[in-house]
Amino acid sequence: MNDIQLRQDIIEELDFEPGIDARSIGVSVADGVVTLNGHVPSYSQKVDAEKVVWRIKGVKALAQELEVRLPEDAKVNDDEIATRAARIIAWSASVPPDAIHVKVARGWVTLSGTVDWHFQRFAAEAAVRRLTGIHGVINNVQLRQAVKPENVRDKIKEALRRHVDGEASRIRIDVASPGEVTLEGDVGDYEERRAIERAAWAIPGVRAVHDKLNIQWHSV
């Protein structure tokens, strides 16, 4: 697929997505690398726009340069955002009680604390992502568990064999102590890439995943 057609497909998909106001989103494409610029009225729309781009066939990489510009009636004071964020995290069944600390400055929410599992870290971020008035979320929540690098590597390979057909032998896995994983190799599309990344995050002891997987789109 050429860049002109890819750009048009992305523009049409952004316009088609009902939850995104795409009127102020600019799209440029060079050799399959997509850049989004301009602005959107909420942080959740910024996140959703990124998801839309990745589901389009032919996208190799994404530079996310969208700015969140809140309408006047959507602006919320930092103390109110902090109160809402703390409350919604406390309501989440996936987040351990009192494990997450919230700080808000100029509409940016910073999460800190320590949990045992990545899904708990992700759940805390997902809980606050759609709050009105935020400009972004910085997730500094740490994972408590640590295991030997070779055990992490073996567990990731086992997970790939179970969940991603034919991928395990093509993916290079490097694990640096404590629990820092780098994934390299070629995958067929974005969903395969995300499945492999999720498999890595699902292993106890993984504290960071560096996704260097390359999407190799196949022409029909």
Side-chain angles (χ1 to χ4, degrees):
M1 179 182 295
N2 62 51
D3 288 342
I4 295 175
Q5 183 61 55
L6 179 56
R7 178 177 181 272
Q8 187 61 35
D9 288 349
I10 292 170
I11 291 172
E12 291 177 0
E13 191 71 7
L14 287 169
D15 287 335
F16 179 75
E17 185 66 33
I20 298 176
D21 181 355
R23 291 174 295 178
S24 298
I25 298 178
V27 180
S28 60
V29 181
D31 296 326
V33 178
V34 179
T35 300
L36 294 182
N37 51 42
H39 57 88
V40 289
S42 70
Y43 177 65
S44 63
Q45 289 195 33
K46 179 177 179 178
V47 173
D48 289 344
E50 182 172 336
K51 292 178 181 178
V52 165
V53 170
W54 276 119
R55 70 186 184 217
I56 302 300
K57 184 175 181 179
V59 174
K60 296 179 180 177
L62 171 63
Q64 170 64 284
E65 298 178 1
L66 285 173
E67 177 186 354
V68 177
R69 293 185 187 175
L70 299 172
E72 284 299 322
D73 60 357
K75 293 183 178 178
V76 183
N77 292 333
D78 287 346
D79 56 348
E80 186 175 350
I81 293 174
T83 299
R84 291 179 179 178
R87 184 180 299 130
I88 198 170
I89 289 173
W91 287 343
S92 174
S94 299
V95 182
D98 304 320
I100 307 297
H101 308 291
V102 178
K103 182 179 74 173
V104 182
R106 296 182 179 180
W108 278 87
V109 180
T110 300
L111 304 177
S112 60
T114 305
V115 294
D116 290 323
W117 296 91
H118 174 66
F119 81 86
Q120 297 168 330
R121 180 178 182 269
F122 178 79
E125 179 178 340
V128 302
R129 187 181 288 161
R130 296 188 179 276
L131 287 175
T132 301
I134 71 171
H135 287 268
V137 180
I138 301 171
N139 194 339
N140 289 335
V141 176
Q142 301 297 310
L143 298 181
R144 184 177 291 109
Q145 298 185 18
V147 295
K148 295 181 179 180
E150 57 270 23
N151 292 344
V152 171
R153 188 182 298 108
D154 291 342
K155 288 181 180 295
I156 293 174
K157 288 181 178 179
E158 290 172 7
L160 292 182
R161 281 193 289 269
R162 289 195 303 271
H163 299 295
V164 191
D165 291 340
E167 296 295 339
S169 62
R170 298 196 288 113
I171 305 303
R172 296 183 297 278
I173 304 167
D174 180 66
V175 182
S177 184
E180 191 164 325
V181 176
T182 299
L183 302 172
E184 296 180 300
D186 295 331
V187 295
D189 56 34
Y190 179 64
E191 288 305 317
E192 288 184 10
R193 179 178 175 178
R194 292 290 294 138
I196 293 168
E197 186 177 336
R198 285 194 298 268
W201 272 120
I203 305 305
V206 171
R207 298 185 176 186
V209 175
H210 303 291
D211 184 349
K212 297 183 179 180
L213 297 169
N214 183 46
I215 299 176
Q216 292 286 339
W217 295 102
H218 301 294
S219 57
V220 179

